[in-house]
Amino acid sequence: DAGVTQSPTHLIKTRGQHVTLRCSPISGHKSVSWYQQVLGQGPQFIFQYYEKEERGRGNFPDRFSARQFPNYSSELNVNALLLGDSALYLCASSLGDRGLADTQYFGPGTRLTVL
Amino acid sequence: GDSVTQMEGPVTLSEEAFLTINCTYTATGYPSLFWYVQYPGEGLQLLLKATKADDKGSNKGFEATYRKETTSFHLEKGSVQVSDSAVYFCALTLSNTGKLIFGQGTTLQVKP
């Protein structure tokens, strides 16, 4: 089975622009989460979606938004890009209904560079 | 707040040496605990997990035991290989939101 896929692999934007990142979960998984990983640090939680509803949000500004589609794929949108938004953006999928035993599986990430 | 603390890296070992990477956590409840590994230029891969106290997770020769009394989840491997060189992240989850809280990562470098 295919794992979590993300597109694009790399992206270069300038300050003030908008970006959309895409994620396709593992088949059968209904939950998608987004994380931001700045170089040299651990990933930071941005959002989780389950069955197309937002189920959790991390401490990120309103410039960050996301949605989940009926096929469980997801988009992360970031408006008014700042230099500090440069990071690896990771998508993770899970079954979503296993409570604390739910395990998240990560995609390869999208490397965003803001100039 | 809830958090994960890992030992500072980088950790440099010779091939076949014994590995320990320390991980301790602070949590308001009873979390599930995870180790993820990140190879250069790649995303995170789940290495092992434990969902309750005294559980031992194991995979590919790595193991870690969930110790509630010491709030720890140390990663061990008896004999490391060059191919184990990567960044290792300890993480916890406490809620149905799926939010994973990660440590800062520990870089492991194994030399032939």
Side-chain angles (χ1 to χ4, degrees):
Chain A
D1 280 341
V4 178
T5 59
Q6 293 185 243
S7 62
T9 305
H10 296 88
L11 206 49
I12 299 175
K13 293 286 190 178
T14 57
R15 280 177 295 176
Q17 285 190 312
H18 162 90
V19 69
T20 298
L21 310 181
R22 295 177 176 83
C23 171
S24 292
I26 292 170
S27 178
H29 284 192
K30 297 181 179 180
S31 177
V32 169
S33 298
W34 288 94
Y35 292 81
Q36 180 195 66
Q37 186 180 16
V38 173
L39 198 63
Q41 297 182 20
Q44 298 291 314
F45 175 77
I46 309 175
F47 286 110
Q48 191 201 35
Y49 277 77
Y50 176 65
E51 290 279 20
K52 302 182 289 296
E53 298 288 329
E54 182 184 301
R55 197 159 75 173
R57 173 186 283 254
N59 189 23
F60 280 80
D62 292 343
R63 299 185 296 108
F64 289 77
S65 63
R67 56 180 176 167
Q68 188 177 32
F69 298 99
N71 67 353
Y72 302 110
S73 67
S74 177
E75 283 183 353
L76 176 70
N77 295 283
V78 187
N79 292 323
L81 285 167
L82 303 174
L83 295 179
D85 295 331
S86 295
L88 180 67
Y89 287 84
L90 295 165
C91 173
S93 79
S94 66
L95 291 168
D97 59 359
R98 296 292 189 269
L100 290 181
D102 208 37
T103 299
Q104 296 191 31
Y105 297 89
F106 284 80
T110 294
R111 173 72 62 188
L112 172 65
T113 302
V114 182
L115 301 177
Chain B
D2 305 318
S3 64
V4 174
T5 302
Q6 295 180 230
M7 64 187 288
E8 294 273 340
V11 173
T12 303
L13 296 173
S14 298
E15 207 165 21
E16 298 184 2
F18 183 85
L19 168 71
T20 300
I21 299 178
N22 290 337
C23 171
T24 57
Y25 66 89
T26 301
T28 51
Y30 300 100
S32 291
L33 301 172
F34 303 83
W35 277 100
Y36 283 86
V37 58
Q38 189 171 37
Y39 297 100
E42 298 184 13
L44 298 171
Q45 296 180 24
L46 176 67
L47 185 57
L48 52 84
K49 70 177 185 179
T51 58
K52 61 183 187 296
D54 300 325
D55 267 1
K56 178 184 283 189
S58 61
N59 185 27
K60 299 181 182 178
F62 291 90
E63 58 183 35
T65 301
Y66 187 166
R67 301 285 188 203
K68 192 175 86 171
E69 63 275 11
T70 55
T71 62
S72 64
F73 193 53
H74 304 320
L75 182 68
E76 297 182 334
K77 186 175 185 184
S79 176
V80 293
Q81 306 300 311
V82 173
S83 58
D84 294 326
S85 298
V87 182
Y88 291 81
F89 291 94
C90 184
L92 67 82
T93 187
L94 265 171
S95 72
N96 288 341
T97 63
K99 173 183 175 181
L100 280 167
I101 298 171
F102 286 88
Q104 74 272 31
T106 302
T107 301
L108 171 65
Q109 194 171 43
V110 181
K111 297 187 173 180

